[in-house]
Amino acid sequence: AQSVAQPEDQVNVAEGNPLTVKCTYSVSGNPYLFWYVQYPNRGLQFLLKYITGDNLVKGSYGFEAEFNKSQTSFHLKKPSALVSDSALYFCAVRDMGGSARQLTFGSGTQLTVLP
Amino acid sequence: DAGVTQSPTHLIKTRGQQVTLRCSPKSGHDTVSWYQQALGQGPQFIFQYYEEEERQRGNFPDRFSGHQFPNYSSELNVNALLLGDSALYLCASSQGTSGTDTQYFGPGTRLTVL
């Protein structure tokens, strides 16, 4: 079975400060990992993914994520937060070793960037 | 290049009724997945269609069914609606079923069951 945990329901950060949104995962094989962002009353927008290779993945809008296999984590980061980054962020996993093709999502983290 | 589109945007039904939601995938995509997102939760996988067949199914009852057409568009049908079916229904499209594919989501259909 595959699962994702986002330990923080809410993250607040001041504009211009670095931000981190945490994600840990559990899979039986190796993971494919994804980050999506959701704005109010909208669908999910793809930010970035880790499939293989470099542990640091760069994505859209200045976001990046670091894959850490030993800690089974895939934290989302941005060096300097913008007020417009305020949204709901979801981490998702797919198990490379299994037959599952669906994404399993975490419960989401509401990011608020304060001006 | 049009992204994933869904219709209708909003829908209100009463308990026991049936509903059909529609999805058109992103250009060049042949795989459609459906998700249910209840308020305050992450999306939950319902099923995935590829080559007009249901390839995988999540933990949802048979009241939830679907279809994929030759042009890759898809429908989600829900019978005998329950209050608990109220949610945002998301369609996602991708290219193939390799596992490395990225799923791109539509704006969703907000279903309210009264």
Side-chain angles (χ1 to χ4, degrees):
Chain A
Q2 54 191 40
S3 65
V4 172
Q6 293 183 241
E8 300 162 317
D9 291 336
Q10 175 83 39
V11 170
N12 296 325
V13 64
E15 187 175 28
N17 282 1
L19 70 86
T20 299
V21 182
K22 296 180 180 178
C23 170
T24 59
Y25 65 89
S26 175
V27 295
S28 57
N30 289 318
Y32 293 142
L33 292 156
F34 301 79
W35 276 102
Y36 288 85
V37 60
Q38 186 175 36
Y39 294 96
N41 301 313
R42 302 284 294 276
L44 276 66
Q45 294 180 28
F46 169 72
L47 283 177
L48 51 80
K49 68 179 179 183
Y50 172 83
I51 302 299
T52 187
D54 289 342
N55 290 340
L56 186 63
V57 178
K58 295 189 181 296
S60 305
Y61 312 118
F63 284 94
E64 58 189 27
E66 185 169 10
F67 172 66
N68 187 316
K69 188 172 183 177
S70 64
Q71 296 186 5
T72 62
S73 67
F74 189 56
H75 300 332
L76 181 70
K77 301 181 179 183
K78 187 173 183 181
S80 179
L82 301 172
V83 172
S84 58
D85 293 329
S86 298
L88 187 57
Y89 290 80
F90 289 99
C91 180
V93 69
R94 181 187 290 142
D95 188 346
M96 290 170 55
S99 61
R101 291 292 174 259
Q102 73 267 27
L103 292 174
T104 297
F105 285 84
S107 55
T109 298
Q110 180 66 49
L111 172 68
T112 300
V113 180
L114 305 169
Chain B
D1 178 25
V4 180
T5 59
Q6 292 186 242
S7 63
T9 304
H10 295 87
L11 207 50
I12 299 176
K13 293 286 187 178
T14 57
R15 282 178 296 174
Q17 285 190 312
Q18 178 265 343
V19 68
T20 297
L21 310 181
R22 295 177 175 82
C23 171
S24 291
K26 185 178 171 66
S27 178
H29 287 183
D30 56 9
T31 303
V32 173
S33 302
W34 286 93
Y35 292 82
Q36 179 195 66
Q37 186 180 18
L39 198 61
Q41 297 182 22
Q44 299 289 318
F45 175 74
I46 303 174
F47 41 54
Q48 182 180 81
Y49 277 84
Y50 173 68
E51 293 185 334
E52 301 181 50
E53 291 187 7
E54 183 182 295
R55 296 292 176 163
Q56 199 145 52
R57 189 178 184 90
N59 188 26
F60 280 79
D62 292 345
R63 298 187 297 109
F64 290 76
S65 63
H67 187 78
Q68 186 179 36
F69 299 94
N71 66 352
Y72 309 121
S73 66
S74 176
E75 288 182 349
L76 164 64
N77 301 291
V78 187
N79 295 322
L81 284 167
L82 304 173
L83 295 179
D85 295 332
S86 295
L88 181 67
Y89 288 84
L90 296 165
C91 168
S93 74
S94 55
Q95 176 59 46
T97 60
S98 67
T100 63
D101 50 290
T102 298
Q103 294 186 4
Y104 292 89
F105 286 78
T109 294
R110 174 73 63 186
L111 172 65
T112 302
V113 182
L114 302 176

Short mmCIF file of all heavy atoms in Angstrom, two decimals, chain A residues 45-97:
data_model
loop_
_atom_site.label_atom_id
_atom_site.label_comp_id
_atom_site.label_asym_id
_atom_site.label_seq_id
_atom_site.Cartn_x
_atom_site.Cartn_y
_atom_site.Cartn_z
N GLN A 45 -3.04 22.17 -9.74
CA GLN A 45 -2.01 22.53 -10.72
C GLN A 45 -0.72 21.80 -10.37
O GLN A 45 -0.27 21.84 -9.22
CB GLN A 45 -1.77 24.04 -10.71
CG GLN A 45 -2.94 24.87 -11.18
CD GLN A 45 -2.62 26.34 -11.15
OE1 GLN A 45 -1.47 26.73 -11.28
NE2 GLN A 45 -3.63 27.18 -11.00
N PHE A 46 -0.11 21.18 -11.35
CA PHE A 46 1.14 20.46 -11.18
C PHE A 46 2.29 21.42 -10.94
O PHE A 46 2.44 22.41 -11.67
CB PHE A 46 1.40 19.61 -12.42
CG PHE A 46 2.76 19.00 -12.49
CD1 PHE A 46 3.11 17.95 -11.65
CD2 PHE A 46 3.70 19.46 -13.39
CE1 PHE A 46 4.36 17.38 -11.72
CE2 PHE A 46 4.96 18.90 -13.47
CZ PHE A 46 5.29 17.86 -12.63
N LEU A 47 3.11 21.13 -9.91
CA LEU A 47 4.27 21.96 -9.62
C LEU A 47 5.57 21.27 -10.02
O LEU A 47 6.42 21.88 -10.67
CB LEU A 47 4.34 22.27 -8.12
CG LEU A 47 3.40 23.34 -7.58
CD1 LEU A 47 3.57 23.46 -6.07
CD2 LEU A 47 3.64 24.67 -8.25
N LEU A 48 5.75 20.03 -9.57
CA LEU A 48 6.98 19.31 -9.86
C LEU A 48 6.83 17.84 -9.51
O LEU A 48 5.87 17.46 -8.83
CB LEU A 48 8.16 19.92 -9.08
CG LEU A 48 8.02 20.13 -7.58
CD1 LEU A 48 8.23 18.84 -6.81
CD2 LEU A 48 8.98 21.19 -7.08
N LYS A 49 7.81 17.05 -9.97
CA LYS A 49 7.80 15.62 -9.65
C LYS A 49 9.21 15.08 -9.54
O LYS A 49 10.15 15.62 -10.13
CB LYS A 49 7.02 14.83 -10.71
CG LYS A 49 7.68 14.79 -12.08
CD LYS A 49 6.85 13.96 -13.07
CE LYS A 49 7.47 13.93 -14.46
NZ LYS A 49 6.63 13.18 -15.44
N TYR A 50 9.34 14.02 -8.76
CA TYR A 50 10.57 13.25 -8.67
C TYR A 50 10.30 11.85 -9.21
O TYR A 50 9.40 11.17 -8.72
CB TYR A 50 11.07 13.17 -7.23
CG TYR A 50 12.23 12.22 -7.09
CD1 TYR A 50 13.52 12.62 -7.38
CD2 TYR A 50 12.02 10.89 -6.71
CE1 TYR A 50 14.57 11.74 -7.28
CE2 TYR A 50 13.07 10.00 -6.61
CZ TYR A 50 14.35 10.43 -6.91
OH TYR A 50 15.39 9.54 -6.83
N ILE A 51 11.11 11.47 -10.19
CA ILE A 51 11.02 10.11 -10.73
C ILE A 51 12.30 9.35 -10.40
O ILE A 51 12.27 8.27 -9.82
CB ILE A 51 10.78 10.12 -12.26
CG1 ILE A 51 9.50 10.90 -12.58
CG2 ILE A 51 10.73 8.72 -12.81
CD1 ILE A 51 8.25 10.30 -11.96
N THR A 52 13.42 9.92 -10.78
CA THR A 52 14.72 9.33 -10.49
C THR A 52 15.77 10.40 -10.72
O THR A 52 15.48 11.48 -11.23
CB THR A 52 14.97 8.10 -11.39
OG1 THR A 52 16.17 7.46 -10.95
CG2 THR A 52 15.12 8.51 -12.84
N GLY A 53 17.02 10.13 -10.30
CA GLY A 53 18.07 11.09 -10.58
C GLY A 53 18.35 12.01 -9.41
O GLY A 53 18.31 11.60 -8.25
N ASP A 54 18.62 13.27 -9.72
CA ASP A 54 18.99 14.25 -8.70
C ASP A 54 17.92 14.35 -7.62
O ASP A 54 16.72 14.40 -7.91
CB ASP A 54 19.19 15.63 -9.33
CG ASP A 54 20.45 15.69 -10.17
OD1 ASP A 54 21.31 14.80 -9.98
OD2 ASP A 54 20.57 16.60 -10.99
N ASN A 55 18.39 14.41 -6.38
CA ASN A 55 17.45 14.49 -5.27
C ASN A 55 16.76 15.85 -5.19
O ASN A 55 15.69 15.96 -4.59
CB ASN A 55 18.16 14.19 -3.96
CG ASN A 55 18.56 12.73 -3.85
OD1 ASN A 55 18.00 11.87 -4.55
ND2 ASN A 55 19.52 12.44 -3.00
N LEU A 56 17.37 16.89 -5.74
CA LEU A 56 16.76 18.21 -5.73
C LEU A 56 16.05 18.43 -7.07
O LEU A 56 16.68 18.43 -8.12
CB LEU A 56 17.81 19.29 -5.50
CG LEU A 56 17.27 20.71 -5.35
CD1 LEU A 56 16.38 20.81 -4.11
CD2 LEU A 56 18.41 21.71 -5.26
N VAL A 57 14.75 18.63 -6.99
CA VAL A 57 13.93 18.79 -8.18
C VAL A 57 13.43 20.23 -8.25
O VAL A 57 12.92 20.75 -7.26
CB VAL A 57 12.72 17.84 -8.15
CG1 VAL A 57 11.84 18.04 -9.38
CG2 VAL A 57 13.18 16.40 -8.04
N LYS A 58 13.59 20.85 -9.39
CA LYS A 58 13.09 22.22 -9.57
C LYS A 58 11.80 22.18 -10.39
O LYS A 58 11.65 21.39 -11.32
CB LYS A 58 14.14 23.08 -10.26
CG LYS A 58 15.40 23.27 -9.41
CD LYS A 58 16.32 24.28 -10.01
CE LYS A 58 17.58 24.44 -9.16
NZ LYS A 58 17.26 24.98 -7.81
N GLY A 59 10.86 23.07 -10.00
CA GLY A 59 9.58 23.08 -10.66
C GLY A 59 9.11 24.47 -11.04
O GLY A 59 9.92 25.38 -11.20
N SER A 60 7.81 24.60 -11.12
CA SER A 60 7.20 25.86 -11.56
C SER A 60 7.23 26.91 -10.47
O SER A 60 7.24 26.57 -9.27
CB SER A 60 5.75 25.61 -11.98
OG SER A 60 5.65 24.60 -12.96
N TYR A 61 7.19 28.18 -10.88
CA TYR A 61 7.02 29.32 -9.98
C TYR A 61 8.11 29.42 -8.91
O TYR A 61 7.87 29.95 -7.82
CB TYR A 61 5.64 29.28 -9.31
CG TYR A 61 4.51 29.02 -10.28
CD1 TYR A 61 3.71 27.89 -10.16
CD2 TYR A 61 4.25 29.89 -11.34
CE1 TYR A 61 2.69 27.63 -11.05
CE2 TYR A 61 3.23 29.64 -12.24
CZ TYR A 61 2.44 28.51 -12.08
OH TYR A 61 1.43 28.24 -12.96
N GLY A 62 9.29 28.89 -9.17
CA GLY A 62 10.40 29.00 -8.24
C GLY A 62 10.41 27.95 -7.13
O GLY A 62 11.27 28.01 -6.24
N PHE A 63 9.48 27.01 -7.19
CA PHE A 63 9.44 25.95 -6.18
C PHE A 63 10.46 24.85 -6.50
O PHE A 63 10.77 24.60 -7.66
CB PHE A 63 8.04 25.33 -6.10
CG PHE A 63 7.05 26.19 -5.36
CD1 PHE A 63 6.23 27.07 -6.06
CD2 PHE A 63 6.95 26.14 -3.98
CE1 PHE A 63 5.32 27.88 -5.39
CE2 PHE A 63 6.05 26.93 -3.31
CZ PHE A 63 5.23 27.80 -4.01
N GLU A 64 10.92 24.22 -5.45
CA GLU A 64 11.79 23.05 -5.57
C GLU A 64 11.45 22.09 -4.45
O GLU A 64 10.78 22.46 -3.47
CB GLU A 64 13.26 23.46 -5.51
CG GLU A 64 13.67 24.19 -4.26
CD GLU A 64 15.08 24.75 -4.36
OE1 GLU A 64 15.56 25.03 -5.47
OE2 GLU A 64 15.70 24.90 -3.29
N ALA A 65 11.88 20.85 -4.61
CA ALA A 65 11.62 19.84 -3.58
C ALA A 65 12.83 18.94 -3.48
O ALA A 65 13.51 18.65 -4.47
CB ALA A 65 10.37 19.04 -3.89
N GLU A 66 13.08 18.48 -2.26
CA GLU A 66 14.23 17.62 -2.01
C GLU A 66 13.76 16.23 -1.62
O GLU A 66 13.06 16.05 -0.62
CB GLU A 66 15.12 18.20 -0.91
CG GLU A 66 16.40 17.41 -0.70
CD GLU A 66 17.39 18.13 0.19
OE1 GLU A 66 17.00 19.15 0.79
OE2 GLU A 66 18.55 17.68 0.27
N PHE A 67 14.19 15.24 -2.40
CA PHE A 67 13.89 13.84 -2.11
C PHE A 67 14.94 13.29 -1.15
O PHE A 67 16.14 13.38 -1.41
CB PHE A 67 13.88 13.04 -3.41
CG PHE A 67 13.78 11.56 -3.21
CD1 PHE A 67 12.64 10.99 -2.68
CD2 PHE A 67 14.83 10.71 -3.57
CE1 PHE A 67 12.53 9.62 -2.50
CE2 PHE A 67 14.72 9.34 -3.40
CZ PHE A 67 13.57 8.79 -2.86
N ASN A 68 14.48 12.70 -0.05
CA ASN A 68 15.38 12.10 0.92
C ASN A 68 14.90 10.68 1.18
O ASN A 68 13.92 10.46 1.89
CB ASN A 68 15.39 12.93 2.22
CG ASN A 68 16.44 12.44 3.20
OD1 ASN A 68 16.60 11.24 3.40
ND2 ASN A 68 17.18 13.36 3.80
N LYS A 69 15.62 9.72 0.60
CA LYS A 69 15.16 8.33 0.69
C LYS A 69 15.26 7.79 2.11
O LYS A 69 14.38 7.05 2.57
CB LYS A 69 15.98 7.45 -0.27
CG LYS A 69 15.45 6.04 -0.37
CD LYS A 69 16.14 5.26 -1.48
CE LYS A 69 15.54 3.86 -1.61
NZ LYS A 69 16.16 3.11 -2.73
N SER A 70 16.33 8.13 2.81
CA SER A 70 16.51 7.59 4.17
C SER A 70 15.43 8.09 5.13
O SER A 70 15.03 7.38 6.05
CB SER A 70 17.89 7.93 4.69
OG SER A 70 18.04 9.34 4.82
N GLN A 71 14.98 9.31 4.92
CA GLN A 71 13.94 9.86 5.77
C GLN A 71 12.55 9.73 5.14
O GLN A 71 11.57 10.20 5.73
CB GLN A 71 14.23 11.34 6.07
CG GLN A 71 15.51 11.55 6.87
CD GLN A 71 15.72 13.00 7.28
OE1 GLN A 71 14.86 13.84 7.05
NE2 GLN A 71 16.87 13.27 7.87
N THR A 72 12.46 9.12 4.00
CA THR A 72 11.21 8.97 3.23
C THR A 72 10.45 10.29 3.19
O THR A 72 9.25 10.36 3.52
CB THR A 72 10.31 7.84 3.77
OG1 THR A 72 9.92 8.14 5.12
CG2 THR A 72 11.02 6.51 3.71
N SER A 73 11.16 11.34 2.78
CA SER A 73 10.53 12.66 2.75
C SER A 73 10.70 13.32 1.39
O SER A 73 11.61 12.97 0.62
CB SER A 73 11.13 13.56 3.83
OG SER A 73 12.48 13.86 3.55
N PHE A 74 9.83 14.26 1.11
CA PHE A 74 9.86 15.01 -0.14
C PHE A 74 9.29 16.40 0.16
O PHE A 74 8.20 16.75 -0.23
CB PHE A 74 9.03 14.28 -1.20
CG PHE A 74 9.17 14.83 -2.60
CD1 PHE A 74 10.40 14.95 -3.21
CD2 PHE A 74 8.04 15.21 -3.32
CE1 PHE A 74 10.52 15.44 -4.51
CE2 PHE A 74 8.14 15.70 -4.62
CZ PHE A 74 9.38 15.82 -5.21
N HIS A 75 10.08 17.20 0.85
CA HIS A 75 9.62 18.51 1.30
C HIS A 75 9.68 19.54 0.18
O HIS A 75 10.66 19.60 -0.57
CB HIS A 75 10.46 19.00 2.48
CG HIS A 75 10.43 18.10 3.66
ND1 HIS A 75 9.36 17.28 3.97
CD2 HIS A 75 11.36 17.89 4.64
CE1 HIS A 75 9.60 16.62 5.08
NE2 HIS A 75 10.81 16.96 5.50
N LEU A 76 8.65 20.36 0.11
CA LEU A 76 8.56 21.43 -0.88
C LEU A 76 9.18 22.69 -0.30
O LEU A 76 8.91 23.04 0.85
CB LEU A 76 7.09 21.68 -1.24
CG LEU A 76 6.81 22.76 -2.29
CD1 LEU A 76 7.28 22.29 -3.67
CD2 LEU A 76 5.32 23.08 -2.33
N LYS A 77 9.97 23.41 -1.12
CA LYS A 77 10.65 24.59 -0.63
C LYS A 77 10.61 25.70 -1.67
O LYS A 77 10.46 25.47 -2.87
CB LYS A 77 12.12 24.26 -0.29
CG LYS A 77 12.26 23.18 0.76
CD LYS A 77 13.71 22.90 1.07
CE LYS A 77 13.83 21.83 2.14
NZ LYS A 77 15.22 21.56 2.54
N LYS A 78 10.77 26.93 -1.14
CA LYS A 78 10.93 28.10 -2.00
C LYS A 78 11.78 29.11 -1.24
O LYS A 78 11.52 29.37 -0.06
CB LYS A 78 9.58 28.69 -2.37
CG LYS A 78 9.67 29.82 -3.41
CD LYS A 78 8.31 30.27 -3.87
CE LYS A 78 8.45 31.34 -4.95
NZ LYS A 78 7.13 31.84 -5.43
N PRO A 79 12.80 29.66 -1.86
CA PRO A 79 13.73 30.54 -1.14
C PRO A 79 13.09 31.83 -0.63
O PRO A 79 13.46 32.33 0.43
CB PRO A 79 14.82 30.84 -2.18
CG PRO A 79 14.68 29.77 -3.20
CD PRO A 79 13.24 29.40 -3.23
N SER A 80 12.13 32.37 -1.38
CA SER A 80 11.53 33.64 -1.01
C SER A 80 10.03 33.60 -1.34
O SER A 80 9.64 33.59 -2.50
CB SER A 80 12.20 34.78 -1.78
OG SER A 80 11.62 36.03 -1.45
N ALA A 81 9.21 33.59 -0.30
CA ALA A 81 7.77 33.42 -0.49
C ALA A 81 7.10 34.70 -0.98
O ALA A 81 7.51 35.82 -0.61
CB ALA A 81 7.12 32.98 0.82
N LEU A 82 6.06 34.51 -1.79
CA LEU A 82 5.24 35.62 -2.27
C LEU A 82 3.83 35.47 -1.71
O LEU A 82 3.36 34.35 -1.47
CB LEU A 82 5.16 35.60 -3.80
CG LEU A 82 6.46 35.71 -4.57
CD1 LEU A 82 6.22 35.49 -6.06
CD2 LEU A 82 7.11 37.06 -4.33
N VAL A 83 3.14 36.60 -1.54
CA VAL A 83 1.76 36.55 -1.06
C VAL A 83 0.91 35.67 -1.99
O VAL A 83 0.02 34.93 -1.56
CB VAL A 83 1.16 37.95 -0.94
CG1 VAL A 83 -0.32 37.88 -0.63
CG2 VAL A 83 1.89 38.75 0.14
N SER A 84 1.21 35.73 -3.29
CA SER A 84 0.46 34.96 -4.28
C SER A 84 0.71 33.45 -4.17
O SER A 84 0.01 32.66 -4.82
CB SER A 84 0.81 35.42 -5.69
OG SER A 84 2.19 35.30 -5.93
N ASP A 85 1.68 33.02 -3.36
CA ASP A 85 1.90 31.59 -3.13
C ASP A 85 0.88 31.01 -2.14
O ASP A 85 0.82 29.79 -1.97
CB ASP A 85 3.30 31.33 -2.57
CG ASP A 85 4.40 31.65 -3.57
OD1 ASP A 85 4.15 31.49 -4.78
OD2 ASP A 85 5.50 32.03 -3.14
N SER A 86 0.12 31.86 -1.50
CA SER A 86 -0.89 31.39 -0.54
C SER A 86 -1.90 30.50 -1.24
O SER A 86 -2.58 30.92 -2.19
CB SER A 86 -1.60 32.59 0.10
OG SER A 86 -0.70 33.40 0.82
N ALA A 87 -1.99 29.27 -0.81
CA ALA A 87 -2.86 28.27 -1.46
C ALA A 87 -2.77 26.98 -0.66
O ALA A 87 -2.09 26.89 0.36
CB ALA A 87 -2.42 28.03 -2.90
N LEU A 88 -3.47 25.96 -1.17
CA LEU A 88 -3.47 24.63 -0.56
C LEU A 88 -2.53 23.74 -1.36
O LEU A 88 -2.65 23.63 -2.58
CB LEU A 88 -4.89 24.08 -0.57
CG LEU A 88 -5.19 22.77 0.15
CD1 LEU A 88 -4.80 22.83 1.62
CD2 LEU A 88 -6.67 22.42 0.01
N TYR A 89 -1.59 23.10 -0.68
CA TYR A 89 -0.57 22.30 -1.34
C TYR A 89 -0.75 20.83 -0.99
O TYR A 89 -0.93 20.47 0.18
CB TYR A 89 0.83 22.77 -0.93
CG TYR A 89 1.15 24.13 -1.51
CD1 TYR A 89 0.67 25.29 -0.93
CD2 TYR A 89 1.92 24.24 -2.68
CE1 TYR A 89 0.93 26.54 -1.48
CE2 TYR A 89 2.19 25.47 -3.23
CZ TYR A 89 1.69 26.62 -2.64
OH TYR A 89 1.96 27.85 -3.19
N PHE A 90 -0.67 20.00 -2.03
CA PHE A 90 -0.83 18.56 -1.86
C PHE A 90 0.41 17.83 -2.36
O PHE A 90 0.90 18.08 -3.46
CB PHE A 90 -2.03 18.04 -2.65
CG PHE A 90 -3.36 18.45 -2.09
CD1 PHE A 90 -4.05 19.52 -2.63
CD2 PHE A 90 -3.92 17.75 -1.02
CE1 PHE A 90 -5.27 19.90 -2.12
CE2 PHE A 90 -5.15 18.12 -0.51
CZ PHE A 90 -5.83 19.20 -1.05
N CYS A 91 0.87 16.88 -1.56
CA CYS A 91 1.90 15.94 -1.94
C CYS A 91 1.22 14.65 -2.37
O CYS A 91 0.18 14.27 -1.79
CB CYS A 91 2.81 15.69 -0.75
SG CYS A 91 4.17 14.56 -1.02
N ALA A 92 1.77 13.96 -3.37
CA ALA A 92 1.17 12.72 -3.84
C ALA A 92 2.27 11.73 -4.18
O ALA A 92 3.39 12.11 -4.54
CB ALA A 92 0.29 12.97 -5.06
N VAL A 93 1.95 10.44 -4.08
CA VAL A 93 2.92 9.38 -4.33
C VAL A 93 2.32 8.29 -5.20
O VAL A 93 1.10 8.06 -5.19
CB VAL A 93 3.43 8.76 -3.01
CG1 VAL A 93 2.32 7.96 -2.32
CG2 VAL A 93 4.64 7.87 -3.24
N ARG A 94 3.16 7.68 -5.99
CA ARG A 94 2.80 6.48 -6.75
C ARG A 94 3.92 5.50 -6.54
O ARG A 94 5.10 5.85 -6.63
CB ARG A 94 2.61 6.81 -8.22
CG ARG A 94 2.20 5.63 -9.09
CD ARG A 94 2.21 6.03 -10.55
NE ARG A 94 1.15 6.96 -10.89
CZ ARG A 94 1.29 7.96 -11.74
NH1 ARG A 94 2.46 8.19 -12.31
NH2 ARG A 94 0.28 8.76 -12.02
N ASP A 95 3.60 4.24 -6.25
CA ASP A 95 4.60 3.20 -5.96
C ASP A 95 5.11 2.60 -7.27
O ASP A 95 4.36 1.98 -8.00
CB ASP A 95 3.97 2.13 -5.08
CG ASP A 95 4.99 1.11 -4.57
OD1 ASP A 95 6.11 1.06 -5.10
OD2 ASP A 95 4.65 0.37 -3.64
N MET A 96 6.39 2.78 -7.57
CA MET A 96 6.97 2.23 -8.78
C MET A 96 6.92 0.70 -8.80
O MET A 96 6.82 0.08 -9.84
CB MET A 96 8.44 2.66 -8.93
CG MET A 96 8.65 4.11 -9.25
SD MET A 96 10.39 4.58 -9.12
CE MET A 96 11.18 3.41 -10.22
N GLY A 97 6.99 0.12 -7.59
CA GLY A 97 7.08 -1.33 -7.53
C GLY A 97 5.75 -2.05 -7.61
O GLY A 97 5.71 -3.25 -7.79
#
